[in-house]
Amino acid sequence: NNNNNIGNSGMGMKNINIQDSNNFITLNDIGIYTTICAIATLDLNEINKKLLNNKLFSPIFEDIPLVKNLLTCYCESNYNEFSLLLNVIVNDYLIMDINLLSYVNKLLIVISERVLIQYCSPYSVLDMNRMANDLKKPISTLENELETLISN
């Protein structure tokens, strides 16, 4: 299962050597890593319990409200805002982060799959135009992703 592999490598960040003097991790980095990996691996109840309602994450949410907003949008199925915030995090943090760079594409694929499943679950009929607008993706990309998701 892709999610377990990402959870094992992402949540634990086993491959990062924090002792390396040229490579250090800040509290903000941990907050971003945890948020992205949580969306890729945890269900909504776990995200609420382990992150949003966890007092240990309050300082992270105060320092980077963007991650709390991202989690809240994900849990509340606000896909339009979620997609915008995820793009900000990817462009401003993830693609420039040497610690997470090798995981970014895989994480984004898993997150996209989870969002599609969550988006589709309450519907028996989907409006592809609305879905493309909400998820900020071209219809052709959504069709390909849904086809892959359904066939897996």
Side-chain angles (χ1 to χ4, degrees), residues 57-150:
F57 279 90
S58 293
I60 292 172
F61 293 150
E62 288 172 15
D63 279 353
I64 2 174
L66 181 64
V67 297
K68 183 175 184 178
N69 293 341
L70 182 73
L71 289 169
T72 301
C73 288
Y74 180 71
C75 290
E76 293 177 356
S77 303
N78 182 348
Y79 304 111
N80 195 331
E81 187 68 18
F82 172 81
S83 297
L84 294 172
L85 294 173
L86 182 60
N87 284 332
V88 168
I89 288 176
V90 169
N91 293 325
D92 291 356
Y93 297 97
L94 300 182
I95 61 171
M96 297 200 268
D97 188 309
I98 59 171
N99 297 310
L100 202 59
L101 186 60
S102 63
Y103 298 100
V104 171
N105 286 335
K106 190 171 186 179
L107 282 166
L108 293 176
I109 289 168
V110 173
I111 289 171
S112 180
E113 289 173 354
R114 291 177 66 87
V115 167
L116 286 172
I117 290 169
Q118 186 175 321
Y119 188 99
C120 295
S121 64
Y123 299 104
S124 59
V125 176
L126 296 173
D127 179 341
M128 292 296 285
N129 290 317
R130 179 175 176 199
M131 189 174 182
N133 183 52
D134 287 349
L135 301 177
K136 304 294 184 234
K137 294 183 178 188
I139 290 176
S140 60
T141 301
L142 282 175
E143 288 171 342
N144 290 335
E145 289 180 2
L146 285 168
E147 181 181 331
T148 302
L149 191 60
I150 291 167

Side-chain angles (χ1 to χ4, degrees), residues 12-76:
M13 302 309 282
K14 295 177 187 176
N15 298 324
I16 295 175
N17 179 2
I18 60 173
Q19 305 271 322
D20 183 351
S21 61
N22 295 324
N23 187 13
F24 63 93
I25 298 175
T26 66
L27 186 60
N28 283 0
D29 293 333
I30 292 169
I32 291 168
Y33 299 163
T34 302
T35 298
I36 295 300
C37 291
I39 292 169
T41 60
L42 302 178
D43 66 34
L44 298 176
N45 291 329
E46 290 175 307
I47 290 173
N48 275 307
K49 181 180 175 185
K50 293 179 179 179
L51 297 175
L52 288 172
N53 297 324
N54 184 337
K55 291 180 183 176
L56 294 175
F57 279 90
S58 293
I60 292 172
F61 293 150
E62 288 172 15
D63 279 353
I64 2 174
L66 181 64
V67 297
K68 183 175 184 178
N69 293 341
L70 182 73
L71 289 169
T72 301
C73 288
Y74 180 71
C75 290
E76 293 177 356

